[in-house]
Amino acid sequence: MTGTELTVRIWRGQEDGEFQTYRLATRAAQTVLDVVTEIQRGQEPDLAYRYACRVGMCGSCAMTVNGAPRWTCRTRVSAVARKGILKLQPLRNLPVVKDLVVDMTTFFVKWQKAKGVFEPGSVPLADFAIVKPNSAERRAVDAGVECIGCGICYSACDVVAWDRDYLGPAALNRAWTLVNDVRDRGQTERLAAVAAVGGCHSCHTHMSCTRLCPKNLAPTYAIGGLKRASARAALKVTT
Amino acid sequence: MNSALFIAQRMTAVILAFAVAIHLVTIIYAAQHGLTAGHILQRTHGNLAFLALYSTFVIAAAIHGPIGLRNILREWLGWWGHRIDASLFAFALMLLALGLRAAYGVFVA
Ligand code: SF4
Ligand code: SF4
Ligand code: FES
C-alpha cells in the first residue's frame, strides 16, 4: 500500500462547516493520527485536532473515521481506509469546538452525575480493605477499570444522540466499577443516581459502545449490572 | 421510581410470557377443533380458573404496557414529569377496566 495516494476528507468548521479534501502519499504502518499530523504540518497549519500520548493511553485522539468513532493513534489507515479514502469528522454527540476537536465538558459532567467518582466517606477506613483477586467484585472492577475516557462509546451510542439526559456508557461503566469497590462509601447515592431519569434504564442494549470501545470494555454488561444492583437496592428499601 | 418500574416491568413480563402462551394455544386449539362461540362460552361460563387466568393476564398487561409506553413517549416526544405519569396511569386504569370487564363478561355469559 506504501506510495499509493490517499484521499483524506476532513471536516472544517464547527457545527456549520464543510469537508475539505487533502491528498498525500501513504506510508507503511501509518496511523490515522499520523495522517492528520502530516496534513497539519504540511498542508493546513490551522487544522485543529487533539492528541497527547500517541500510544493509546490518554484517550484524547478520538474522531469519527469513515463513519465510526476510533482512537486515531492506534488505528492503522490500512484497516479503515475504503478505496483509498479516509473521511474524518469530530466525535458525534458532543459540541464541535473547531474541525476535529469537540468539547468534552458534558461527557465528564455526566461522569460526576453518575457518581463515577470514588467516595471515601467522612472517616477513613481503619484498616486496609482485603480484596481477593478472584472475587466476583474484583473481577467486575477489572473488566471495566481500564477506561481511558476517550468518549468513543458516548459518540457511538444512539440513545445519547436522542436523549440528552442519558448519562451514557462510559459514565455508567465507571459507576459500575465503583459499585464493586468494597472501599467505597457512596453506594446508596450512586445507585440512586444511576437509576434516575437518564440512568441505566435508558440503555437499549444496542451494544455499539461495546463493539467500538478501543479498550475492549463492555459498558453494556456494566449497565446490566447496574440495573440488577439498583433493582436489588430498591427491593431492600421497600421490604 | 425507575427501579420500581423496572422491577414491575420484568415481573409482569414473566407473567405475560405464560399468559400469552396459554392464550395462543387456546386460540389454536379452538380454531383447530372448530369450536363455535357457543361451545367456548359453555366452557368458560362460571369457570373460575378462566376468570383467574384472564384477570391476572389483564392486570399484568395493564402494568407492563404503560411502562413501555412511558419510555417511548419520553424518548420520542420528550414527555416528562407528572404529565406523562398521569396520562399513563389513566391509560393503565382504562386497560384494567376494559380488560376485567371483558374477562368478567365472558365468565358470566
Ligand atoms: S448498549 Fe446502551 S450504552 Fe451501549 S450503545 Fe447501546 S444503548 Fe448506548
Ligand atoms: S468505555 Fe471504552 S470507549 Fe468508552 S470512554 Fe472508556 S475506553 Fe473509551
Ligand atoms: S493520543 Fe492518547 S490515546 Fe490516542
Side-chain angles (χ1 to χ4, degrees), chain A residues 37-56:
Chain A
T37 303
E38 195 175 325
I39 291 172
Q40 197 226 34
R41 303 226 168 131
Q43 305 184 31
E44 193 73 82
D46 71 343
L47 176 63
Y49 68 112
R50 247 192 221 126
Y51 74 94
C53 72
R54 292 175 294 120
V55 290

Side-chain angles (χ1 to χ4, degrees), chain A residues 92 153-160 162 166-170 172 200 202-211 218-221 223 227:
Chain A
R92 190 171 75 130
C153 54
Y154 189 85
S155 169
C157 177
D158 283 341
V159 178
V160 172
W162 73 57
Y166 183 43
L167 297 173
L172 292 170
C200 61
S202 298
C203 169
H204 281 229
T205 323
H206 287 156
M207 307 219 26
S208 313
C209 56
T210 299
R211 188 166 78 82
T220 316
Y221 296 102
I223 294 167
K227 287 180 186 170

Side-chain angles (χ1 to χ4, degrees), chain A residues 212-223:
Chain A
L212 286 159
C213 170
K215 299 290 291 180
N216 287 322
L217 309 186
T220 316
Y221 296 102
I223 294 167

Side-chain angles (χ1 to χ4, degrees), chain B residues 8-100:
Chain B
Q9 201 186 23
R10 292 297 148 116
M11 288 192 336
T12 50
V14 175
I15 299 174
L16 287 174
F18 286 105
V20 169
I22 296 172
H23 184 61
L24 287 178
V25 169
T26 316
I27 293 176
I28 293 167
Y29 177 88
Q32 296 279 323
H33 291 75
L35 295 188
T36 62
H39 286 132
I40 294 172
L41 289 177
Q42 246 170 32
R43 293 168 197 219
T44 53
H45 179 81
N47 186 336
L48 275 175
F50 164 84
L51 186 65
L53 175 73
Y54 274 82
S55 303
T56 316
F57 191 167
V58 165
I59 294 168
I63 297 173
H64 190 87
I67 299 175
L69 204 55
R70 183 175 185 266
N71 292 336
I72 295 171
L73 289 176
R74 217 183 81 70
E75 280 174 12
W76 287 76
L77 303 178
W79 280 25
W80 186 238
H82 292 309
R83 176 169 149 205
I84 191 170
D85 288 335
S87 327
L88 287 167
F89 191 67
F91 181 64
L93 286 181
M94 188 191 79
L95 286 182
L96 194 66
L98 292 178
L100 289 178

Side-chain angles (χ1 to χ4, degrees), chain A:
Chain A
M1 186 160 166
T2 316
T4 54
E5 196 186 57
L6 186 68
T7 303
V8 190
R9 304 186 60 216
I10 301 183
W11 182 257
R12 302 296 316 277
Q14 285 185 292
E15 301 301 333
D16 289 327
E18 56 182 6
F19 284 100
Q20 269 181 36
T21 305
Y22 307 88
R23 282 176 229 285
L24 67 169
T26 51
R27 296 169 193 265
Q30 173 185 43
T31 65
V32 174
L33 185 63
D34 292 336
V35 166
V36 178
T37 303
E38 195 175 325
I39 291 172
Q40 197 226 34
R41 303 226 168 131
Q43 305 184 31
E44 193 73 82
D46 71 343
L47 176 63
Y49 68 112
R50 247 192 221 126
Y51 74 94
C53 72
R54 292 175 294 120
V55 290
M57 289 175 71
C58 71
S60 64
C61 65
M63 303 168 197
T64 306
V65 181
N66 282 358
R70 308 264 178 207
W71 54 354
T72 53
C73 70
R74 300 280 307 265
T75 303
R76 293 257 170 99
V77 171
S78 55
V80 288
R82 278 187 218 132
K83 295 187 179 147
I85 298 176
L86 269 187
K87 191 174 169 194
L88 306 180
Q89 290 161 271
L91 284 181
R92 190 171 75 130
N93 295 340
L94 289 162
V96 183
V97 177
K98 180 178 186 288
D99 305 340
L100 299 168
V101 175
V102 291
D103 179 354
M104 304 281 287
T105 310
T106 344
F107 176 74
F108 288 112
V109 165
K110 286 180 177 177
W111 278 47
Q112 308 271 339
K113 270 203 190 158
K115 306 273 180 216
V117 183
F118 180 71
E119 175 52 61
S122 46
V123 204
L125 285 183
D127 203 351
F128 291 108
I130 305 209
V131 181
K132 294 231 168 73
N134 55 1
S135 67
E137 288 82 7
R138 176 68 235 191
R139 278 190 277 146
V141 174
D142 280 341
V145 81
E146 296 293 340
C147 171
I148 54 172
C150 62
I152 285 177
C153 54
Y154 189 85
S155 169
C157 177
D158 283 341
V159 178
V160 172
W162 73 57
D163 182 352
R164 68 190 162 81
D165 293 321
Y166 183 43
L167 297 173
L172 292 170
N173 177 71
R174 179 70 186 125
W176 174 239
T177 62
L178 288 163
V179 164
N180 286 287
D181 189 329
V182 294
R183 304 162 306 162
D184 190 280
R185 293 288 166 269
Q187 303 298 4
T188 313
E189 295 77 11
R190 182 170 300 111
L191 287 175
V194 300
V197 172
C200 61
H201 299 112
S202 298
C203 169
H204 281 229
T205 323
H206 287 156
M207 307 219 26
S208 313
C209 56
T210 299
R211 188 166 78 82
L212 286 159
C213 170
K215 299 290 291 180
N216 287 322
L217 309 186
T220 316
Y221 296 102
I223 294 167
L226 289 176
K227 287 180 186 170
R228 288 193 300 278
S230 53
R232 240 178 269 128
L235 285 174
K236 251 184 226 152
V237 171
T238 50
T239 49

